[in-house]
Amino acid sequence: MELFVSFSEIMHFYRKNWMKFILVVLAFGVVGGLLPLKFGHRVYQSSTTFTVTCGVPNGADSDYHLQYTNILYSRVQSAVPLASGDDLLTHTAEKVGVDKSEIAKITAEMENSSPVVKLTVSTTNAAKAAQISDTAAELLMEELVQHFPDPVLTAGISDHAEQVKPQSIKSSIVKAGFLSAVLGFIVFICFGILAVLSDKTIRNSRFAEEMLKVRLLAEIPHELRDRGNSLRSLRSAALNACGENRSFLVANVCEHNGGDQVAAGFSAALSMMGKSVLLVDCDLRSPKLASQLKIKPEKTLNEVLKGDCSLQQAVVPVQKTTGLSLVSGSPVSGVNPSDLFSTEGFVKFAEEAAASYDYVVFYAPSEIRFSDAESIAPYARSVILTAKYGSTPFNDLKESCSRISAAGGDVIGFVTTNA
């Protein structure tokens, strides 16, 4: 497991997944924009302000005058619970002529401890919001006067409600869609950071090189147009590391690590130096190189190992790449391919191939899953392991290096694909 995360790794995750990023943001935006159509009920608020006064009886003593303020305050304060009652809401709806469900709530509050009450109505009916507010205020004032006949209260509207401008559903959709898209952006950013922090796969090739003390030969990019230079870099690094050896084994660490494409590209890069190169598909479970190179061989590696044909009879030139030839494999049944690579027949095949061609490149399937690469490694000598960025576990690469070395192979380095 890697022990640190750099900002560049997080940015690399976003660059690789930019299509998913766009899809997530669009999905959030579309779903969020459609929500107002399904659940959206725009609630409008309208407020009316009224003032309450309390008369002082003629001939009232001085104590009454002193209590006047408290009496008025208590009368006005009672408007707050009366406003939130269900009766006021019901009577207001009946008087205005709207459905009760169109009025969400009615609230009231005193303004700065003064005998001024601000009544606020929340309603889904924008056209009648002001009328509902004024009507609710009138009914509340009537109720206050009836509740407190002595001393006599008087109340009047000081500020009528203003007409509410209804908002279109289109603006609601646009606003909801934009906010949802922003949420999708934030969600994906957070997901990317968490994904990198919790990732135990190869995502920093230089870190793996330093920790395993195994040379990084090349990073093969995901884009096809950029692979040419990477394969040339692989060729230079591999030739520098292999010494006098002229046989290579390219093996996947795990399944679907792109080792078959690396083997084909590496072999083609070697042939471009004017050398004769033999590419051998040793995947006898699911051979792919023949179809990739658009070749239909009549004889295969299986028949060579059985002694049914010679090496040259199984060799098929690759028409589009001068100097490159292929020996393809075919699926076997009833026998473990790893055992076939431990026979005398394969030893002779490897020796004859090395004597007949400038370079020989063997390809083997997943080293972690199968032991084929370990059987081939002693004869190929120079082993190149392929690990896929963001897919191959770091510990699997470490284990493959140890197993290949224990089998007698020389791991000259590894390649990171899909970088």
Side-chain angles (χ1 to χ4, degrees), residues 168-198:
S168 66
I169 188 66
K170 182 179 179 180
S171 64
S172 299
I173 290 174
V174 172
K175 183 178 180 180
F178 174 76
L179 293 176
S180 298
V182 172
L183 177 62
F185 175 85
I186 295 172
V187 168
F188 193 87
I189 291 296
C190 294
F191 171 78
I193 295 174
L194 291 175
V196 174
L197 289 174
S198 60

Side-chain angles (χ1 to χ4, degrees), residues 147-351:
H147 270 73
F148 305 103
D150 186 32
V152 178
L153 293 178
T154 58
I157 294 177
S158 53
D159 291 306
H160 286 274
E162 296 182 357
Q163 188 63 38
V164 176
K165 183 179 180 180
Q167 295 185 5
S168 66
I169 188 66
K170 182 179 179 180
S171 64
S172 299
I173 290 174
V174 172
K175 183 178 180 180
F178 174 76
L179 293 176
S180 298
V182 172
L183 177 62
F185 175 85
I186 295 172
V187 168
F188 193 87
I189 291 296
C190 294
F191 171 78
I193 295 174
L194 291 175
V196 174
L197 289 174
S198 60
D199 192 2
K200 298 181 181 180
T201 61
I202 301 296
R203 47 183 169 73
N204 188 320
S205 302
R206 293 300 177 186
F207 174 83
E209 178 182 39
E210 181 179 347
M211 293 298 294
L212 299 177
K213 306 302 180 185
V214 177
R215 184 179 303 181
L216 171 64
L217 299 176
E219 291 182 310
I220 310 298
H222 175 71
E223 296 79 8
L224 289 173
R225 64 179 181 274
D226 298 331
R227 291 181 183 176
N229 289 332
S230 298
L231 290 170
R232 292 183 182 91
S233 298
L234 170 60
R235 177 185 66 193
S236 299
L239 292 178
N240 179 60
C242 71
E244 298 298 323
N245 295 329
R246 290 296 179 263
S247 294
F248 298 91
L249 168 63
V250 178
N252 281 323
V253 174
C254 301
E255 292 186 282
H256 312 298
N257 281 181
D260 51 342
Q261 297 178 2
V262 172
F266 175 54
S267 300
L270 289 172
S271 67
M272 290 177 185
M273 299 190 304
K275 303 295 184 178
S276 60
V277 181
L278 178 65
L279 175 60
V280 184
D281 192 346
C282 295
D283 185 352
L284 303 186
R285 294 174 175 83
S286 179
K288 302 180 181 66
L289 290 176
S291 60
Q292 285 184 17
L293 298 174
K294 298 180 180 180
I295 291 175
K296 295 182 179 180
E298 296 181 2
K299 303 293 183 178
T300 65
L301 174 63
N302 310 52
E303 294 168 279
V304 177
L305 297 181
K306 293 178 182 178
D308 295 340
C309 71
S310 65
L311 167 64
Q312 294 305 321
Q313 288 176 318
V315 171
V316 181
V318 179
Q319 297 298 327
K320 294 184 178 180
T321 307
T322 303
L324 177 61
S325 302
L326 172 71
V327 172
S328 178
S330 59
V332 297
S333 59
V335 62
N336 190 324
S338 180
D339 295 334
L340 295 177
F341 300 130
S342 301
T343 62
E344 186 66 27
F346 181 77
V347 175
K348 293 181 178 179
F349 170 83
E351 292 174 349

Side-chain angles (χ1 to χ4, degrees), residues 11-23:
M11 293 306 299
H12 187 74
F13 174 86
Y14 295 137
R15 285 195 298 271
K16 282 193 62 184
N17 296 277
W18 66 272
M19 281 294 295
K20 294 179 181 178
F21 169 73
I22 292 175
L23 290 175

Side-chain angles (χ1 to χ4, degrees), residues 350-368:
E351 292 174 349
E352 184 179 355
S356 303
Y357 293 87
D358 295 322
Y359 296 101
V360 180
V361 179
F362 298 93
Y363 164 68
S366 169
E367 196 283 329
I368 287 295

